[in-house]
């Protein structure tokens, strides 16, 4: 089972490429139980949006 | 893309105040660059090219360029060239928002060119851990789970912050705290829109290295935003 540290690594990687089905399932399972990692995921999503705004794309 | 080929004013086109400023940059002392825009009459220019509009646009562009180039003079240079190129092609603009999109795309291309030149002569190892990752490591216990007190918190509806100028000041400070090399990889990915495969090719690193660097940069950035902005209420 994934720990939080590996989960954050995969969540970040998911911003850059699509993950295998096996990894996506493992992530989903971890996120169901872990509010810290759910928040981490929302936070890096927000950072991505902020970067788009910052670079004049929106 | 050749958006960035027309860099300088062409002879015969009247030069407005803010562009005359470019000339000051190339010929005058350093301090000239920091002075407010000269109030030379701006004959015939459309609304989008009014001095106020350009001053605001220039401010956003400089902030953007400075963060990525980390060198004031190079940032000023890139911004002025992008503005000059936009001015030369000004008849094609419908209005302010279109100008912003266009001029930023010129600026991004200029930044890419400069970064490419720099990466041919790298001065530092890209993957070196500068020790600043300790803080991120310490968020986890020995099993790799979040320490109870250090779990990422709920930021609510953070997108409302995007209209807050104070937020952007903090965002900029947090970006500045990244070490130079992670900041470069992060910029190429998140600001310039490169795929990780392209970044690897440009910088001569492996793709897994690239993900490690991006992950570190994101983790540092979100931790900084959490501490400096979202935890402040």
């Amino acid at each position: 089972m994934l720990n939080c540290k590996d989960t954050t690594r995969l969540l970040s990687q998911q911003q850059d490429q699509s993950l295998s089905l096996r990894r996506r399932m493992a992530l989903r399972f971890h996120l169901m139980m872990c509010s810290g990692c759910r928040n981490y995921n929302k936070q890096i999503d927000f950072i991505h949006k902020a970067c788009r705004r910052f670079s004049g794309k929106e | 893309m050749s958006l960035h080929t027309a860099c300088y004013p062409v002879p015969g086109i009247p030069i407005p105040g803010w562009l005359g400023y470019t000339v000051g940059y190339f010929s005058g002392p350093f301090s000239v660059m920091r002075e407010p825009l000269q109030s030379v009459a701006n004959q015939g220019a459309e609304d989008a090219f009014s001095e106020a509009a350009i001053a605001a646009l220039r401010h956003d562009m400089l902030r953007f360029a400075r963060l990525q180039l980390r060198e004031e003079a190079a940032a000023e240079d890139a911004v002025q060239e992008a503005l000059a190129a936009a001015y030369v092609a000004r008849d094609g603009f419908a209005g302010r928002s279109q100008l912003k999109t266009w001029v930023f795309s010129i600026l991004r291309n200029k930044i890419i060119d400069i970064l490419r030149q720099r990466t041919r002569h790298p001065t530092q190892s890209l993957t070196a851990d500068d020790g600043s990752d300790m803080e991120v490591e310490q968020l986890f216990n020995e099993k790799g789970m979040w320490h109870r007190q250090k779990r990422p918190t709920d930021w609510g509806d953070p997108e409302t912050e995007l209209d807050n100028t104070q937020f952007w000041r903090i965002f900029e400070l947090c970006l500045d705290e990244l070490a130079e090399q992670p900041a470069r990889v992060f910029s190429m990915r998140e600001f310039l829109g490169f795929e990780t495969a392209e970044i690897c090719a440009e910088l001569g690193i492996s793709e897994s290295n690239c993900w490690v660097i991006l992950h570190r940069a994101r983790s540092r950035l979100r931790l900084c935003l959490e501490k400096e902005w979202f935890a402040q209420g």
Side-chain angles (χ1 to χ4, degrees):
Chain A
M1 203 191 104
L2 290 175
N3 64 22
C4 299
K5 206 166 156 179
D6 292 335
T7 299
T8 61
R9 188 176 50 77
L10 288 174
L11 288 172
S12 172
Q13 195 172 330
Q14 202 173 30
Q15 298 268 327
D16 307 312
Q17 62 146 201
S18 48
L19 301 177
S20 69
L21 182 63
R22 194 176 61 83
R23 283 187 159 171
R24 290 205 307 274
M25 296 297 283
L27 272 183
R28 192 183 296 178
F29 186 65
H30 183 99
L31 289 180
M32 261 166 37
M33 299 179 307
C34 178
S35 64
C37 288
R38 279 201 299 278
N39 286 335
Y40 180 93
N41 197 27
K42 281 190 235 161
Q43 292 176 5
I44 61 171
D45 241 11
F46 166 69
I47 287 172
H48 176 71
K49 285 190 186 120
C51 288
R52 283 187 63 81
R53 176 79 73 96
F54 193 75
S55 41
K57 285 181 199 151
E58 270 164 23
Chain B
M1 227 192 261
S2 61
L3 285 175
H4 55 302
T5 47
C7 300
Y8 298 98
V10 274
I13 293 185
I15 296 176
W18 58 266
L19 201 53
Y21 195 55
T22 310
V23 177
Y25 168 60
F26 288 115
S27 58
F30 192 73
S31 62
V32 170
M33 293 159 42
R34 312 262 174 127
E35 283 171 14
L37 294 167
Q38 297 156 19
S39 54
V40 174
N42 203 0
Q43 313 97 334
E46 330 161 18
D47 234 24
F49 278 93
S50 73
E51 282 197 17
I54 294 296
L57 186 57
R58 192 173 180 283
H59 173 266
D60 287 354
M61 291 168 75
L62 257 182
R63 191 177 63 176
F64 181 69
R66 208 186 290 131
L67 270 166
Q68 291 173 82
L69 299 173
R70 300 192 164 219
E71 198 190 311
E72 186 73 28
E76 293 267 357
D77 202 346
V79 167
Q80 292 297 13
E81 286 185 15
L83 282 171
Y87 186 73
V88 169
R90 68 194 180 286
D91 291 340
F93 296 117
R96 198 172 292 183
S97 67
Q98 202 188 342
L99 172 66
K100 183 173 182 185
T101 309
W102 202 75
V103 91
F104 260 89
S105 81
I106 300 173
L107 182 59
R108 280 198 294 275
N109 277 308
K110 291 200 172 297
I111 292 171
I112 289 169
D113 283 349
I114 295 168
L115 290 179
R116 279 189 172 144
Q117 277 167 15
R118 285 189 189 170
T119 52
R120 282 185 208 126
H121 311 283
T123 51
Q124 254 181 291
S125 159
L126 269 163
T127 50
D129 182 347
D130 62 357
S132 62
D133 296 316
M134 273 309 285
E135 201 184 351
V136 170
E137 290 291 315
Q138 284 166 357
L139 300 176
F140 301 102
N141 65 21
E142 70 285 353
K143 290 181 184 154
M145 299 297 191
W146 298 109
H147 280 299
R148 191 178 299 260
Q149 306 301 325
K150 296 180 176 173
R151 279 187 204 137
T153 59
D154 185 354
W155 287 358
D157 183 15
E159 281 176 56
T160 56
E161 311 297 341
L162 297 180
D163 295 321
N164 184 333
T165 46
Q166 278 297 96
F167 168 78
W168 287 109
R169 215 173 52 81
I170 299 293
F171 185 77
E172 216 175 319
L173 283 177
C174 287
L175 278 170
D176 262 339
E177 280 197 1
L178 297 177
E180 183 172 350
Q181 302 294 10
R184 178 175 307 169
V185 176
F186 183 81
S187 288
M188 289 178 86
R189 177 73 191 121
E190 296 282 10
F191 295 141
L192 304 173
F194 280 92
E195 295 298 326
T196 47
E198 297 172 294
I199 301 175
C200 307
E202 286 289 334
L203 303 180
I205 56 176
S206 73
E207 201 158 20
S208 60
N209 258 338
C210 204
W211 290 321
V212 170
I213 295 168
L214 284 169
H215 173 48
R216 282 185 195 158
R218 288 186 182 116
S219 294
R220 299 261 324 142
L221 192 52
R222 71 124 216 118
L223 183 59
C224 180
L225 288 174
E226 176 142 300
K227 284 199 309 195
E228 304 299 333
W229 183 259
F230 291 99
Q232 306 293 318

